[in-house]
């Protein structure tokens, strides 16, 4: 992480060299097998995160959503749902334009794209949960 951040800073400062101009999210696992997520900036700064976003649309809405809804003890399914729900904050067309990569401690060198069928199933579960929450909210409002 330090090397990547230093390289970004060096190229940003050097005249005649095109600066990186982008942030990067770097995910992996520490020596103990615990998940690690870092965000590097073109300035050379880097920071550790539990959940993070980068990009034009993600700064406010998605970041706030993650800060509000992230929990330490999420199981794999709940983590995938959190990821999908956060992306749905900025993607209007449902799960069709979303790609989620999964990195697991058992095989950190082999990240996998979440299959579209599983993504569609998660999207359906989220929609059902949201519909049920809305129904319960209406019932509570009518009482």
């Amino acid at each position: 992480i330090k090397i990547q951040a230093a390289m970004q800073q060096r190229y940003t400062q050097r005249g005649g060299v095109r600066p990186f101009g982008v942030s990067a999210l770097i995910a992996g696992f520490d020596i103990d097998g615990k998940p690690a997520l870092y965000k590097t900036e073109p300035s050379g700064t880097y920071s550790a995160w539990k959940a993070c976003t980068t990009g034009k649309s993600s700064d406010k809405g998605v970041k706030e959503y993650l800060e509000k809804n992230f929990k330490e003890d999420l199981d794999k399914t709940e983590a995938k749902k959190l990821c999908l729900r956060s992306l749905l904050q900025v993607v209007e067309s449902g799960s069709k334009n979303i790609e989620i990569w999964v990195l697991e401690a058992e095989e950190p060198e082999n990240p996998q794209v979440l299959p579209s069928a599983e993504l569609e199933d998660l999207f359906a579960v989220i929609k059902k949960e949201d519909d049920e929450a809305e129904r319960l909210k209406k019932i509570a409002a009518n009482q």
Side-chain angles (χ1 to χ4, degrees), residues 4-18:
Q4 176 68 31
M7 184 185 345
Q8 284 180 268
Q9 195 275 337
R10 190 173 335 127
Y11 278 92
T12 299
Q13 296 295 318
R14 185 175 291 153
V17 178
R18 181 179 169 92

Side-chain angles (χ1 to χ4, degrees), residues 97-113:
N97 294 326
I98 293 176
E99 184 175 89
I100 296 176
W101 284 76
V102 178
L103 184 65
E104 298 198 32
E106 297 81 28
E107 290 188 85
E109 68 283 344
N110 191 23
Q112 299 289 315
V113 175

Side-chain angles (χ1 to χ4, degrees), residues 135-143:
R135 185 183 74 78
L136 293 174
K137 193 185 288 185
K138 286 179 182 178
I139 290 172
N142 290 332
Q143 291 182 356

Side-chain angles (χ1 to χ4, degrees), residues 20-57:
F20 275 82
V22 296
S23 298
L25 293 176
I26 302 171
F29 297 90
D30 66 14
I31 293 172
D32 299 326
K34 293 183 182 177
L37 177 64
Y38 293 89
K39 182 176 183 177
T40 65
E41 301 287 346
S43 65
T45 60
Y46 64 94
S47 51
W49 294 85
K50 305 254 183 209
C52 189
T53 65
T54 191
K56 180 181 175 185
S57 301

Side-chain angles (χ1 to χ4, degrees), residues 35 49-52 63-83 85 129:
W49 294 85
K50 305 254 183 209
C52 189
K63 191 172 184 179
E64 287 176 359
Y65 181 83
L66 288 171
E67 287 173 354
K68 181 179 176 185
N69 294 286
F70 177 81
K71 295 174 184 66
E72 289 282 338
D73 57 347
L74 293 173
D75 64 25
K76 289 178 185 179
T77 300
E78 289 301 315
K80 291 173 188 176
K81 284 175 26 183
L82 175 68
C83 181
R85 282 182 188 273
E129 290 173 354

Side-chain angles (χ1 to χ4, degrees), residues 83-136:
C83 181
L84 181 55
R85 282 182 188 273
S86 66
L87 290 170
L88 290 171
Q89 301 293 310
V90 292
V91 176
E92 294 181 17
S93 60
S95 63
K96 302 232 183 292
N97 294 326
I98 293 176
E99 184 175 89
I100 296 176
W101 284 76
V102 178
L103 184 65
E104 298 198 32
E106 297 81 28
E107 290 188 85
E109 68 283 344
N110 191 23
Q112 299 289 315
V113 175
L114 200 63
S116 58
E118 186 176 351
L119 193 58
E120 287 296 324
D121 290 347
L122 284 172
F123 183 72
V125 168
I126 287 171
K127 178 142 179 43
K128 185 177 177 181
E129 290 173 354
D130 290 350
D131 290 348
E132 180 64 13
E134 188 64 32
R135 185 183 74 78
L136 293 174

